[in-house]
Amino acid sequence: MAASTLTEVARLAGVSPATASRVLNGSARKPGPDIAERVRQAAESLGYVPNAQAQGLAKSSSGLIGLIVHDIADPYFSAIARGVQEAAREQRKMVLLATTGGGPAEEKEAVAAFAARRADSIVIAGSRSRRPGDTEGNAELAAELDRYCRNGGRVAVVGHPVVGATAPEGYHVVQVPNQELAGQLATELAKDWDGKFVIIGGPEGLFTSDDRIRGFQEGLERAGRQPAEVLRNSFNRTGGFEAGLQLAARIKAEQSEGGEHTKLCIFAVNDVMAIGAAAALRAEGLRIPRDAAIAGFDDIETLRDFRPALSTVRLPLEEIGRIATRATGRPGGHSADQDKDHDQELEPAGTIRGEVTLRRSTEVAA
Amino acid sequence: MAASTLTEVARLAGVSPATASRVLNGSARKPGPDIAERVRQAAESLGYVPNAQAQGLAKSSSGLIGLIVHDIADPYFSAIARGVQEAAREQRKMVLLATTGGGPAEEKEAVAAFAARRADSIVIAGSRSRRPGDTEGNAELAAELDRYCRNGGRVAVVGHPVVGATAPEGYHVVQVPNQELAGQLATELAKDWDGKFVIIGGPEGLFTSDDRIRGFQEGLERAGRQPAEVLRNSFNRTGGFEAGLQLAARIKAEQSEGGEHTKLCIFAVNDVMAIGAAAALRAEGLRIPRDAAIAGFDDIETLRDFRPALSTVRLPLEEIGRIATRATGRPGGHSADQDKDHDQELEPAGTIRGEVTLRRSTEVAA
DNA sequence: CTGTTAGCGCCTTCAA
DNA sequence: TTGAAGGCGCTAACAG
């Protein structure tokens, strides 16, 4: 009932297992064409499927890439996942998926599980955190990662390095210029908006969120503006929605006060939160950009048809996934020519370029 | 440099590998607490990580669940993927991801790869197809699946069974009542709309699309309406957009003709296409539902903030993923009490309940 | 309760 | 070029 084995194929073909192996899987020496054909036919007729586990055991390489995300249903992560998939396919590897919900403890579990499966490399896509409650988890995660690397595993982290990770080799960080881009966004917005800025951020300690907040504040400062107030909330639509409700109340109060007031410009640290905030404003009867402007970050594809079109910062999510994955590929894995010029190896895993994208949601037109 | 092995742990603890194994991994008999502690410490100090490949080889069960989707970045699939992940976690298994782009040939590759990795079960989430070009691919896919099942693998397919698959056991189909629900949607819409209906569908031969089209037509018929014209296009936003452009031209022509005309009601066979079509109408200066109504299918979460809110059919995507995955779990895998009542086993893998959800995009209000 | 003995299926030296 | 032998790391029968 179990799948047929190489030995069975070999027996049917009247050759040794070794020979069969050489025929069916890549090997330096190629057996005689007549023999090869017989083996192939035997394999075919038995419906032979090589046992990757056994192959992996013997070669100590599994052909697996581990991907860690907070939530695969979040479009931010699923876009990255698509890039990882592509790159994995290039490397003829398969993707193992782990969803962690963002906790370092669960991420550590995932790394351990990947290590157990002897994944050739691991891509960590979720934002790092330095919240107080996470310090222990971070330490454990770092330790687990270090061990994994020491055992020959490759790791790529999107965004920030894992706190405390001191991995010697095989540890790559794909830098995402969150801070810089948020700064540019602020600068651009400051050109058109005289009023106050408010930031809807994630919980304090989430690097991605903090970087974007910091960058935005810096941008405001460069433009000679007051720092923006920061509302903190969960890093998802609900968080944005709740913050949006608060702001809506405030805006309506100001409006009913009469008198002159300048419109608020809201920066949510990611698109999903921005959409949540926009929904809240709308629910409260406010309109964008008439009563307030709003901008996000990421430029999530599925959200591009949202109206008013959301000003945001475009991030090449799919490419980020690809680059991270490629960074973990063993050099000379499959490419024909191998640069002897190792300089490139020393550079960061890849430079990500984003782009400020102003759209309707921050237009000044009444 | 390589990871440490069970043997090393055993040696350090001064016990046999078998004992170490019994301590570190689940086993019926539990060694003495003193011994157990020594082994645990040895493992800890060596940073021992069990080799799942070896375990799999020995136990001939990999703890892997293979998931096949068209495109992980498509919110429809990523929602299902989340459900699969959840259920996998319940079963203490990991998810192997394969993205196929929808072709049976690639799906066959994926199944073979999963089989090679000895995945315990496979969940196929993409729509089946019976397009002429796919017949050969379908046959091969079916053969591969049959073989996989025959070797003890479990399979769950979302929607329709794979064409030609005759798998004896372990082959489950999660029925999604596309046709029925589309019929209900049509019925509901027909109550409010006097005018013509148009369907924006996917390519002919895609089961999901065809079922929804058929169901919608049936619903119209039941309501005493003429069958709707069907525009076919690719099964994604672009397809919807292009069809939308066509319709926009038509609508504008009718409008400029003056005279009386009834508004068009558009049914796109999935939300993403509906959004594309809506974007096209908007781009052509038309407004929804003023100039035309539009409805989709799936109720994609990320799209719920779209305005005008899209009438659609809510599908419990995440649950579909969960149910499909659970259907493939070996009975008595982890649950405490094991029903001796096998009746449930014979029913379809699970009954999916959807819900027609009328929203603003099909309101009659001018 | 513990240790010993065989494999799980494959790859890879090494001889022939 | 081909075959034989050993081992990858672990578990599952047996013995003790």
Side-chain angles (χ1 to χ4, degrees), chain B residues 107-188:
Chain B
E107 293 180 325
K108 179 219 153 197
E109 295 294 334
V111 171
F114 290 155
R117 300 231 128 80
R118 296 303 184 264
D120 298 332
S121 47
I122 295 180
V123 175
I124 305 182
S127 171
R128 305 299 85 223
S129 149
R130 66 172 146 215
R131 279 179 287 181
D134 288 339
T135 44
E136 192 184 353
N138 275 327
E140 289 181 13
L141 172 57
E144 198 71 45
L145 275 178
D146 277 5
R147 178 192 311 174
Y148 174 75
C149 286
R150 227 174 301 122
N151 290 335
R154 304 278 189 158
V155 172
V157 186
V158 173
H160 279 86
V162 170
V163 180
T166 108
E169 295 182 71
Y171 184 84
H172 307 227
V173 176
V174 178
Q175 301 279 359
V176 179
N178 284 309
Q179 190 170 335
E180 187 187 329
L181 289 168
Q184 289 177 24
L185 175 63
T187 308
E188 291 295 318

Side-chain angles (χ1 to χ4, degrees), chain B residues 5-6 21 25 48 51 55 58:
Chain B
T5 76
L6 184 61
S21 168
N25 310 312
Y48 170 71
N51 187 325
Q55 292 185 147

Side-chain angles (χ1 to χ4, degrees), chain B residues 184-256:
Chain B
Q184 289 177 24
L185 175 63
T187 308
E188 291 295 318
L189 290 175
K191 288 182 188 164
D192 296 333
W193 291 89
D194 314 316
K196 274 199 289 190
F197 287 86
V198 181
I199 300 176
I200 300 181
E204 185 152 19
L206 253 202
F207 280 121
T208 305
S209 171
D210 287 351
D211 283 356
R212 293 177 182 177
I213 292 174
R214 192 178 321 119
F216 197 83
Q217 301 282 33
E218 288 173 2
L220 289 182
E221 190 178 350
R222 273 198 304 273
R225 300 307 201 80
Q226 296 287 322
E229 177 188 1
V230 180
L231 265 40
R232 298 202 175 262
N233 240 304
S234 59
F235 199 58
N236 50 34
R237 183 194 178 276
T238 307
F241 188 83
E242 285 170 2
L245 286 182
Q246 280 183 52
L247 291 177
R250 229 186 270 185
I251 293 167
K252 291 208 287 192
E254 257 188 48
Q255 286 182 343
S256 63

Side-chain angles (χ1 to χ4, degrees), chain A residues 75-77 79-81 83 298-300 315-322:
Chain A
Y76 172 85
F77 290 113
I80 291 181
D298 288 341
D299 198 22
I300 297 296
L315 238 38
L317 264 11
E318 206 173 313
E319 195 185 342
I320 288 176
R322 268 196 307 263

Side-chain angles (χ1 to χ4, degrees), chain A residues 110-127:
Chain A
V111 171
F114 290 156
R117 299 231 130 78
R118 297 300 185 267
D120 297 333
S121 46
I122 295 179
V123 175
I124 305 182
S127 173

Side-chain angles (χ1 to χ4, degrees), chain A residues 89-118:
Chain A
R89 161 162 260 157
E90 287 169 7
Q91 299 179 24
R92 328 200 110 267
K93 299 193 173 172
M94 299 211 75
V95 173
L96 261 178
L97 187 61
T99 299
T100 64
E106 282 141 309
E107 293 181 326
K108 180 218 155 199
E109 295 296 332
V111 171
F114 290 156
R117 299 231 130 78
R118 297 300 185 267

Side-chain angles (χ1 to χ4, degrees), chain B:
Chain B
M1 214 67 209
S4 51
T5 76
L6 184 61
T7 313
E8 292 170 6
V9 174
R11 196 181 315 152
L12 205 169
V15 299
S16 81
T19 304
S21 168
R22 291 190 266 252
V23 173
L24 296 176
N25 310 312
S27 177
R29 313 196 187 309
K30 284 175 187 173
D34 46 338
I35 285 292
E37 191 48 35
R38 253 195 307 164
V39 172
R40 251 185 276 279
Q41 291 204 350
E44 175 66 24
S45 77
L46 285 178
Y48 170 71
V49 179
N51 187 325
Q53 309 225 75
Q55 292 185 147
L57 226 205
K59 298 196 297 197
S60 69
S61 144
S62 60
L64 256 26
I65 292 180
L67 170 61
I68 298 180
V69 297
H70 287 2
D71 174 9
I72 191 59
D74 182 320
Y76 172 84
F77 290 113
S78 60
I80 292 181
R82 185 201 259 163
V84 171
Q85 269 281 7
E86 269 177 43
R89 160 163 262 155
E90 286 168 9
Q91 301 180 21
R92 328 199 108 265
K93 299 193 173 173
M94 300 212 71
V95 173
L96 261 176
L97 187 61
T99 300
T100 63
E106 283 141 308
E107 293 180 325
K108 179 219 153 197
E109 295 294 334
V111 171
F114 290 155
R117 300 231 128 80
R118 296 303 184 264
D120 298 332
S121 47
I122 295 180
V123 175
I124 305 182
S127 171
R128 305 299 85 223
S129 149
R130 66 172 146 215
R131 279 179 287 181
D134 288 339
T135 44
E136 192 184 353
N138 275 327
E140 289 181 13
L141 172 57
E144 198 71 45
L145 275 178
D146 277 5
R147 178 192 311 174
Y148 174 75
C149 286
R150 227 174 301 122
N151 290 335
R154 304 278 189 158
V155 172
V157 186
V158 173
H160 279 86
V162 170
V163 180
T166 108
E169 295 182 71
Y171 184 84
H172 307 227
V173 176
V174 178
Q175 301 279 359
V176 179
N178 284 309
Q179 190 170 335
E180 187 187 329
L181 289 168
Q184 289 177 24
L185 175 63
T187 308
E188 291 295 318
L189 290 175
K191 288 182 188 164
D192 296 333
W193 291 89
D194 314 316
K196 274 199 289 190
F197 287 86
V198 181
I199 300 176
I200 300 181
E204 185 152 19
L206 253 202
F207 280 121
T208 305
S209 171
D210 287 351
D211 283 356
R212 293 177 182 177
I213 292 174
R214 192 178 321 119
F216 197 83
Q217 301 282 33
E218 288 173 2
L220 289 182
E221 190 178 350
R222 273 198 304 273
R225 300 307 201 80
Q226 296 287 322
E229 177 188 1
V230 180
L231 265 40
R232 298 202 175 262
N233 240 304
S234 59
F235 199 58
N236 50 34
R237 183 194 178 276
T238 307
F241 188 83
E242 285 170 2
L245 286 182
Q246 280 183 52
L247 291 177
R250 229 186 270 185
I251 293 167
K252 291 208 287 192
E254 257 188 48
Q255 286 182 343
S256 63
E257 265 179 28
E260 71 196 51
H261 58 272
T262 53
K263 267 187 274 184
L264 211 56
C265 183
I266 303 168
F267 167 54
V269 293
N270 68 46
D271 278 1
V272 174
M273 294 183 83
I275 294 299
L281 293 202
R282 212 165 39 205
E284 293 296 313
L286 299 176
R287 294 190 48 186
I288 299 167
R290 195 194 59 187
D291 300 308
I294 188 161
F297 206 111
D298 287 342
D299 197 21
I300 297 295
E301 196 175 330
T302 326
L303 262 23
R304 294 206 189 124
D305 284 312
F306 184 83
R307 283 302 115 102
L310 192 64
S311 292
T312 186
V313 176
R314 185 189 230 304
L315 237 37
L317 265 9
E318 206 172 316
E319 195 186 343
I320 288 176
R322 267 197 308 264
I323 288 180
T325 307
R326 291 205 187 113
T328 66
R330 295 300 187 287
H334 59 294
S335 62
D337 61 325
Q338 212 174 320
D339 272 27
K340 293 301 174 194
D341 188 354
H342 277 203
D343 286 358
Q344 298 189 351
E345 300 281 334
L346 300 176
E347 289 182 17
T351 309
I352 303 302
R353 220 181 293 279
E355 192 182 352
V356 172
T357 308
L358 260 31
R359 296 200 267 241
R360 185 86 216 297
S361 70
T362 54
E363 268 177 22
V364 211

